[in-house]
Amino acid sequence: MLDGSHRTTALTLTGCKIRVVIYQTDSDIIEAKRLVATGQILKSGTLEDSLEENCEELYRHFKEKPYFMTVEQKAAKMVREKILPKNMRESYRLK
């Protein structure tokens, strides 16, 4: 996931599903912009770049952090390390 924003963590902590869009071509990015306009998906910084530019961003990210964590794993880590406020941690543990 290119735009692993805090929104994805919040959705995970509250047990909500995360909608995703897979870009295979620049046309997919154009289509995603239309989905944002209709409220079907949330706005993302990835919509401002071409597919190639998004791939370059991923390359830079994994060069700096050569590991992958799912949003669920990241949320669990934030709970374990007490990065999140206590009420959010407790809510997550209850789900």
Side-chain angles (χ1 to χ4, degrees):
M1 176 177 288
L2 225 71
D3 188 19
S5 68
H6 295 319
R7 293 175 292 194
T8 57
T9 302
L11 289 168
T12 299
L13 290 169
T14 58
C16 296
K17 291 185 178 187
I18 300 171
R19 291 185 173 185
V20 299
V21 175
I22 298 172
Y23 303 151
Q24 293 181 320
T25 66
D26 286 333
S27 297
D28 294 333
I29 297 171
I30 294 167
E31 177 61 25
K33 287 181 183 182
R34 285 193 272 267
L35 295 173
V36 169
T38 62
Q40 294 179 60
I41 62 172
L42 296 174
K43 186 172 182 174
S44 162
T46 64
L47 298 170
E48 303 308 317
D49 297 324
S50 68
L51 182 62
E52 184 174 345
E53 290 166 328
N54 278 303
C55 289
E56 289 168 359
E57 176 66 27
L58 272 176
Y59 175 78
R60 284 190 298 275
H61 171 79
F62 283 113
K63 189 173 182 183
E64 181 182 323
K65 297 176 184 173
Y67 56 88
F68 176 81
M69 293 176 75
T70 66
V71 178
E72 179 75 29
Q73 290 168 327
K74 181 180 175 187
K77 180 180 184 229
M78 293 172 78
V79 168
R80 258 191 333 274
E81 295 178 2
K82 298 182 179 173
I83 294 169
L84 300 169
K86 185 177 180 179
N87 63 326
M88 292 178 79
R89 295 190 314 263
E90 288 174 355
S91 174
Y92 178 74
R93 288 186 178 120
L94 293 174
K95 73 169 188 117

